[in-house]
Amino acid sequence: MTLAAEVVDLQKDYLLGTVLVKALRGVTIQFPRGDFVAIMGSSGSGKSTLLNLLGALDRPTRGKYIVGGKDVSTMSDDDLSTIRNEKIGFIFQSYNLIPQYTVLENIEVPLHYRTGYPKIGAKEHKRIHDLATMVGLGDRMDHRPFQLSGGQQQRVAIARALVNNPEIILADEPTGNLDSKTEEEIMGMLLNLNREGRTIIMVTHEPGVAKLAKRQIYMKDGVIAGEGVFPG
């Protein structure tokens, strides 16, 4: 079994004033390449903290986070930036698009943060156009976010997450702001990406969405409380 990522005894503490908050209390889990995992749990369970650590957006207090055989938790800030840009694609509930940029320009953004800042040439521009077409926005390429529906904005976010061809896609409540029909369309896209071999790790509070993943993990009080079962 080839692993896309792995965390070992991952712990994260926060100091809020004089109060020590243990957001993660020792999480160990493997993500095989091509996995599709839904992470669930109530507010404060640690699921968002875990996703931030998996995205190399924060550092653990203790424990290891391994991607491609390398321990991310010990990397320098520059190396973390490289991991985020080359290995991981992000999809957020709030889309996080740049308002003044067009669809194509928003998809292009991650390319500007590649190591060495290489020039964006014809090959990259073709990929950007191809991704916009793939997510069903071939006729909206010059539109800006305010001219798009929520579902269309999320499609832009998916294309942006794919532009650097990442191994892992992290999705934080990717259907949280969408109606049921659009939710179904977005989940269909994620399932197709998974069938193509992408590893997807998704946080969601919706059991119906979670059940579409290959496996479901339930978090409680900073630990994994169950897998494949949704405690009542």
Side-chain angles (χ1 to χ4, degrees):
M1 177 179 65
T2 303
L3 296 179
E6 177 182 17
V7 297
V8 180
D9 192 29
L10 208 62
Q11 301 176 48
K12 182 64 181 180
D13 300 340
Y14 294 103
L15 195 61
L16 296 179
T18 58
V19 179
L20 183 67
V21 177
K22 292 184 174 293
L24 292 182
R25 298 170 179 264
V27 173
T28 297
I29 186 171
Q30 294 181 330
F31 301 99
R33 188 168 293 168
D35 204 358
F36 191 166
V37 180
I39 302 174
M40 298 190 74
S42 60
S43 178
S45 63
K47 61 186 187 300
S48 295
T49 299
L50 177 59
L51 201 71
N52 283 339
L53 292 174
L54 292 173
L57 299 172
D58 200 356
R59 295 178 183 273
T61 305
R62 288 171 294 281
K64 293 182 178 181
Y65 172 34
I66 300 167
V67 177
K70 298 179 179 178
D71 188 354
V72 175
S73 54
T74 63
M75 288 184 175
S76 67
D77 288 343
D78 286 345
D79 288 340
L80 284 176
S81 295
T82 299
I83 286 286
R84 283 194 297 268
N85 197 243
E86 295 180 356
K87 301 287 187 182
I88 301 168
F90 296 90
I91 303 171
F92 302 97
Q93 178 180 358
S94 56
Y95 321 130
N96 285 13
L97 303 181
I98 299 175
Q100 64 269 33
Y101 281 13
T102 65
V103 166
L104 292 179
E105 290 167 339
N106 268 288
I107 296 172
E108 180 182 310
V109 166
L111 295 175
H112 293 281
Y113 296 95
R114 293 174 297 172
T115 303
Y117 303 93
K119 181 181 178 182
I120 297 174
K123 180 181 177 182
E124 288 79 12
H125 283 298
K126 181 180 185 304
R127 176 163 177 76
I128 293 165
H129 278 77
D130 288 347
L131 285 170
T133 301
M134 184 198 81
V135 298
L137 295 174
D139 59 345
R140 298 284 192 275
M141 294 185 184
D142 294 325
H143 285 53
R144 288 173 171 77
F146 74 90
Q147 298 172 301
L148 304 173
S149 68
Q152 288 170 332
Q153 291 185 62
Q154 193 61 295
R155 289 168 181 266
V156 178
I158 290 172
R160 180 186 58 193
L162 293 171
V163 72
N164 275 334
N165 198 28
E167 297 175 10
I168 301 169
I169 295 175
L170 301 180
D172 188 4
E173 300 281 6
T175 62
N177 289 334
L178 307 176
D179 60 61
S180 57
K181 182 177 183 298
T182 309
E183 172 188 292
E184 185 177 334
E185 293 172 354
I186 294 300
M187 286 307 299
M189 294 181 66
L190 292 178
L191 287 165
N192 283 335
L193 291 170
N194 181 243
R195 291 187 196 103
E196 293 170 2
R198 307 274 181 183
T199 303
I200 300 178
I201 304 170
M202 173 182 68
V203 163
T204 182
H205 67 277
E206 302 172 71
V209 169
K211 288 176 183 177
L212 296 174
K214 290 179 178 176
R215 57 184 179 131
Q216 301 80 29
I217 292 167
Y218 188 88
M219 293 193 67
K220 184 176 182 179
D221 298 331
V223 298
I224 294 174
E227 183 170 342
V229 177
F230 302 103

